[in-house]
Amino acid sequence: MISGCHPDPSVCRVGEDYYLACSSFEYFPGVPIFHSRDLAHWRQIGNALDRPTQLRLPETMPSSGGVYAPTLRHHDGRFWLITSNVPHRGTLIVTADDPAGPWSEPVHLPAVPGIDPDLAWDDEGNCWCTYAGIAQVRIDPVTGRALEAPRRLWSGTGGQYPEAPHLYRNDDLWYLLIAEGGTEQGHAVSVARGPAPTGPFEPCPSNPILTHRGTDNPIQNTGHGDLVQAHDGSWWLVFLGARLRGGTPGWHVLGRETFLAPVSWVDGWPVVGEVGLEMKGPSLAPAPWPDPPVRDDFSTPTLAPQWISLRSRTPDRVSLAERPGWLTLRPGARSLDDPGVTFVGRRQGHLNARVRARIDAAHGRGGLAVRLDEQHHYAVEITGRTATARARIGPLAQSLGERALRGGPVVLRIEIRASAASPDHPRQEPDVVSLGVEEDDGRFVPLAELDGRYLSTEVAGGFTGRVIGMYVGAGTVEVDWYDYVGDDDALPDF
């Protein structure tokens, strides 16, 4: 439903409009917000945490730290979003009249120590915050003050890491939806119900209601769900999953993505329908958005909401005004190995992708990179009149092919080609990443071709997926344009 690294989805409906939020981890701005009118077509309309006063992500924070698992709700005419900044500042709430923003300054909740916080209101106006563990506390969401001591609720069927709780009222019962089993291939969604938001809760006899563990389904790691009732009365579950590729044990390179599945109610319990790569969508009237432009020529006053940076973004390091029509980057740290590097990128959203950027590095050093974290990234970098392909895999850093340049702006290019869906051998790579430069006639000159498994969660660890963008290590680097073409089937010009 939403491809690329968009995990931990939370959805709410307002009339015939749907809004969804996802985790963002070490990237700034934080918590992307999406809008749909049919549950099938989505577009990003903003980020909930887009100001430094809302979101502090220090350079000491490791990759895959930061903003975890928001819950998005609409209550009493206002949007409410609760999330956690791990390990800094803990749980926070922001609110907005318009989900596109602006969102308020955060209200902090010192009495909520866990991750994956949820908000639910009962008919008496009580606000219940339930969080990973699974524990619950009644709060004042305006001040963040706890109104009573936390209590333990139902913690699932015995799987590890009970988390991602969401509370709903359906008819006269309250339902507690959780994830358990860890966010890897043991991930699952389970549910319990009770007479009140505080329980007591009885588990569904068919738990888990969603899991792909032990199956050959091409979508794995399924869990962390949120229910929504559409305006035609149908019910749906948004949840995270991963598209594993290659041999064994399989590698997912895009991160955990957002999927959609139908839900029916049987004997008072939600039943999740079959999940596959191709499914029948909702029966709502189709409401597609215009296709996003292939190219961003940086002619707008501000960056589009899809652009993300590492931990912070300040005008002295990232500017659209310094050279009109260009994105100007100035260094924070000297390389992609350092958490303080200046980097501006977009999430890889397709199994096959081609990314091109026209870069002027006459007065600096920098380039175009595919990043997973500080220890796992590939890049093609301009230094003086030389383009060099570079790879960092764990403790190993390698300079690969080089090409002399004439000087002036250069088009750098990265092509990612997914390997066959049915592996030829047990260790087959998920994809191949080619790094190089583009000649004036459009011919691609690869400087290196690298196995994509080393930029996967199964190798690097953590919770994120690939982000492709520009960086600077010294001086000034200016970007004329960036374009992205992607498809889950092999593109004909690859």
Side-chain angles (χ1 to χ4, degrees), residues 59-117:
E59 293 180 9
T60 55
M61 182 202 70
S63 289
S64 287
V67 178
Y68 284 18
T71 293
L72 178 64
R73 295 291 182 255
H74 187 261
H75 172 73
D76 199 22
R78 193 161 180 79
F79 290 91
W80 301 75
L81 186 140
I82 186 169
T83 190
S84 296
N85 183 357
V86 179
H88 303 276
R89 303 305 297 273
T91 303
L92 59 93
I93 291 176
V94 291
T95 61
D97 295 322
D98 183 343
W103 288 78
S104 70
E105 291 299 307
V107 172
H108 295 277
L109 287 77
V112 179
I115 60 171
D116 300 4

Side-chain angles (χ1 to χ4, degrees), residues 309-332:
S309 297
L310 285 171
R311 297 176 177 81
S312 66
R313 182 189 294 162
T314 57
D316 60 316
R317 290 167 53 180
V318 179
S319 172
L320 290 170
E322 189 166 332
R323 183 178 179 181
W326 294 66
L327 173 66
T328 300
L329 305 177
R330 297 187 182 279

Side-chain angles (χ1 to χ4, degrees), residues 30-315:
V31 189
I33 304 293
F34 295 85
H35 177 213
S36 176
R37 293 197 174 105
D38 61 4
L39 286 173
H41 302 92
W42 295 82
R43 65 171 179 176
Q44 188 174 349
I45 57 174
N47 296 277
L49 305 176
D50 61 1
R51 303 187 300 275
T53 54
Q54 295 173 302
L55 180 59
R56 178 176 174 266
L57 300 172
E59 293 180 9
T60 55
M61 182 202 70
S63 289
S64 287
V67 178
Y68 284 18
T71 293
L72 178 64
R73 295 291 182 255
H74 187 261
H75 172 73
D76 199 22
R78 193 161 180 79
F79 290 91
W80 301 75
L81 186 140
I82 186 169
T83 190
S84 296
N85 183 357
V86 179
H88 303 276
R89 303 305 297 273
T91 303
L92 59 93
I93 291 176
V94 291
T95 61
D97 295 322
D98 183 343
W103 288 78
S104 70
E105 291 299 307
V107 172
H108 295 277
L109 287 77
V112 179
I115 60 171
D116 300 4
D118 175 70
L119 291 177
W121 285 263
D122 62 25
D123 289 343
E124 289 71 45
N126 296 305
C127 181
W128 302 95
C129 179
T130 310
Y131 50 95
I134 302 288
Q136 183 188 78
V137 61
R138 188 166 60 95
I139 65 167
D140 180 343
V142 176
T143 66
R145 184 170 62 93
L147 302 179
E148 56 187 47
R151 68 177 64 82
R152 304 293 295 187
L153 294 180
W154 175 74
S155 292
T157 65
Q160 65 176 341
Y161 304 129
E163 57 190 4
H166 290 305
L167 268 174
Y168 319 88
R169 184 171 181 177
N170 187 27
D171 294 330
D172 293 328
L173 292 174
W174 285 83
Y175 289 81
L176 174 60
L177 193 77
I178 74 164
E180 56 180 328
T183 193
E184 297 79 32
Q185 291 191 41
H187 213 19
V189 175
S190 297
V191 67
R193 68 187 181 189
T198 54
F201 289 99
E202 62 164 320
C204 175
S206 300
N207 278 330
I209 61 171
L210 173 65
T211 187
H212 285 174
R213 60 195 181 203
T215 74
D216 62 357
N217 193 297
I219 304 167
Q220 288 292 319
N221 304 28
T222 51
H224 201 118
D226 197 8
L227 289 165
V228 64
Q229 185 177 23
H231 58 273
D232 67 351
S234 61
W235 283 82
W236 299 85
L237 180 77
V238 300
F239 61 96
L240 69 79
R243 290 184 281 172
L244 273 62
R245 302 282 294 199
T248 185
W251 297 273
H252 74 278
V253 300
L254 303 184
R256 298 165 300 158
E257 304 175 281
T258 289
F259 293 83
L260 181 72
V263 172
S264 57
W265 289 85
V266 179
D267 297 328
W269 294 106
V271 177
V272 181
E274 292 294 320
V275 175
L277 291 176
E278 293 186 8
M279 297 171 56
K280 182 180 179 180
S283 59
L284 306 176
W289 303 106
D291 291 334
V294 168
R295 177 169 296 184
D296 192 330
D297 59 10
F298 303 114
S299 60
T300 55
T302 59
L303 286 171
Q306 295 84 0
W307 289 104
I308 50 179
S309 297
L310 285 171
R311 297 176 177 81
S312 66
R313 182 189 294 162
T314 57

